[in-house]
Amino acid sequence: MSLLQLKNYINGKWVGSANPETIPNINPAKIDETLCVSPQSTREEARAAVAAAKEAFPKWKETPSPVRAKILFQAWQIMQSRAAELAETLTKEEGKAIGDSRGEVQRALNILEFTAGEGRRLRGSTIPSELPRTFIYTVRQPIGVVSLITPWNFPVAIPIWKIAPALVSGNTVVFKPAELTPFCAFKITEIFEQAGLPAGVLNLILGKGSVVGEEIVNHPDVHAISFTGSNDVGCAIYEKGSKRGIRVQCEMGGKNPVVVLEDADLELAVEGAVQGGFGSTGQRCTAASRVVLQESIADRFVEMLQKRMDSIVIGNGLESGVFMGPAVDEKQMNTVLRYIELGKNEGARLLKGGNRLRGSGFDRGYFIEPTLFDHVTSEMKIAQEEIFGPVVSVLRAKTFEECVEIANSVPFGLSASLYSQDIAKCMRFVEVAEVGKVHLNSPTIGGEAQAPFGGTKATGIGPREMGTEVFEFYTEVKTVYVDYTGQKRKTSMY
Ligand code: UN1
């Protein structure tokens, strides 16, 4: 059987690349299974995608936002009917457990639903004037062609949380997914095509970041870029975009803490640490990679956590009961294993895991044991750098204040959890945690469609994603002064 060859989608047509070289799309749980092959598109093809988006823009901009939104609702319906298929593709392509994939597809559906609803609102404001018979108001207008560059770890939800608001706002899109997850991107694009999106409004370009990614970042006809991924790439994109004076939004790394105080419900907190630390194999920017414990409960908590880790089922995400799938590819697996070695050399105490899983079933994939380090200190690299794997570091502190200091002692600022029954401590934590979102008595992960998502410090550049806040990025505000005196102004405050 010949392998499916993915294509680019440019100006409403599926087109192959002129470059005969392809990238095989491999199932990380069964590396002898190639799902499809995707093109290594050329710079010219990336430019063609931008040109199509530019050409489609004037008409799409003129389409009223409630009408644009109807196409999104249509996409929502189609995605709903293809939800099971999409979740299976996600698990095969990225490796996460099928329950997580279903959850991710549901999240994408929620975002589509919420964002489509915003097409009927997309409100501006009315503003009082200091002058008589003058009316000031604002309208939201699209920016133009936007480039959306998305990562492999949430290959359904993240594209949707960029594409949906970009489109409903009236922008046209060039969408470049990670090289590791083109299949989900292909299906998402197909869904928008089936929903009746006009040609050129959404264009998919598959290929390398260093080739097509660079082209759609530097292209003079691109007026905004939204990126989720690593700090190195995000900061380079920001530098290039800011030189051209365009908008850039970047969602990057995290080193998220779960802080557990002595009055916490420990069972709940252990569960939060497991879900946050090992869920999705730790391959998420909201992963709880640090657990900060108040000394008095630390030994007990660590014991409970180790016991709970024994029940983590690892394997092919399609199999029922599996909680944790493989690393996404060999490179990612090796990065994680290198960090584990580093942790040992830095003097952290390895309590559990630390190895690649071998033996029946595991040899066919990139599986790593859930790994726990204790007695980690803030200066250690494993406590500072994003590992993006199933590795959790325990740090200990005497007081609440010290716990907070440790929680904040990293360059990133995405998410933080506090487990405590003490309302005063909870409220204080909300105030002082240097992050974009706080979870009280729940894990660091996840987010709802109608709430803003994003981080502070080195995590985020630009406005938040999701919620109504997302329109701060995807629209320009135009301020309108209407003078209905019909007269030359006699007075002015200035
Ligand atoms: C989540 O925690 O469910 O790339 C979402 C990431 C984040 C999304 C995390 N931007 O992992």
Side-chain angles (χ1 to χ4, degrees), residues 397-448:
K398 280 211 173 60
T399 62
F400 169 66
E401 288 72 24
E402 282 169 15
C403 287
V404 170
E405 204 182 308
I406 290 174
N408 286 339
S409 68
V410 291
F412 304 109
L414 182 52
S415 179
S417 287
L418 179 74
Y419 283 83
S420 169
Q421 310 286 335
D422 181 336
I423 184 74
K425 297 226 169 75
C426 287
M427 296 312 288
R428 182 66 186 146
F429 188 73
V430 169
E431 271 170 7
V432 294
E434 295 169 355
V435 290
K437 77 188 173 105
V438 172
H439 293 262
L440 298 174
N441 295 305
S442 57
T444 51
I445 51 176
E448 296 192 29

Side-chain angles (χ1 to χ4, degrees), residues 203-323:
N203 303 277
L204 172 71
I205 183 86
L206 299 171
K208 291 196 163 173
S210 57
V211 180
V212 293
E214 200 180 274
E215 201 62 39
I216 67 167
V217 163
N218 292 332
H219 199 294
D221 290 331
V222 169
H223 297 300
I225 304 163
S226 181
F227 165 83
T228 299
S230 72
N231 279 68
D232 288 350
V233 177
C235 289
I237 290 175
Y238 183 45
E239 194 183 332
K240 287 175 186 155
S242 63
K243 270 195 187 136
R244 292 205 288 115
I246 64 164
R247 287 184 186 196
V248 179
Q249 178 185 56
C250 293
E251 190 52 52
M252 301 174 287
K255 194 72 194 171
N256 314 289
V258 177
V259 177
V260 185
L261 301 184
E262 56 195 3
D263 68 300
D265 175 337
L266 292 192
E267 235 163 79
L268 195 70
V270 164
E271 198 51 36
V274 167
Q275 297 294 334
F278 305 114
S280 300
T281 320
Q283 299 180 137
R284 68 209 293 175
C285 60
T286 51
S289 49
R290 296 181 299 146
V291 175
V292 184
L293 300 176
Q294 208 167 353
E295 195 63 69
S296 53
I297 47 99
D299 286 340
R300 191 145 56 93
F301 184 94
V302 167
E303 207 184 300
M304 288 167 72
L305 179 56
Q306 287 185 82
K307 213 180 246 160
R308 173 64 181 85
M309 284 171 69
D310 286 336
S311 64
I312 291 177
V313 182
I314 307 154
N316 181 342
L318 284 184
E319 283 164 22
S320 74
V322 165
F323 173 77

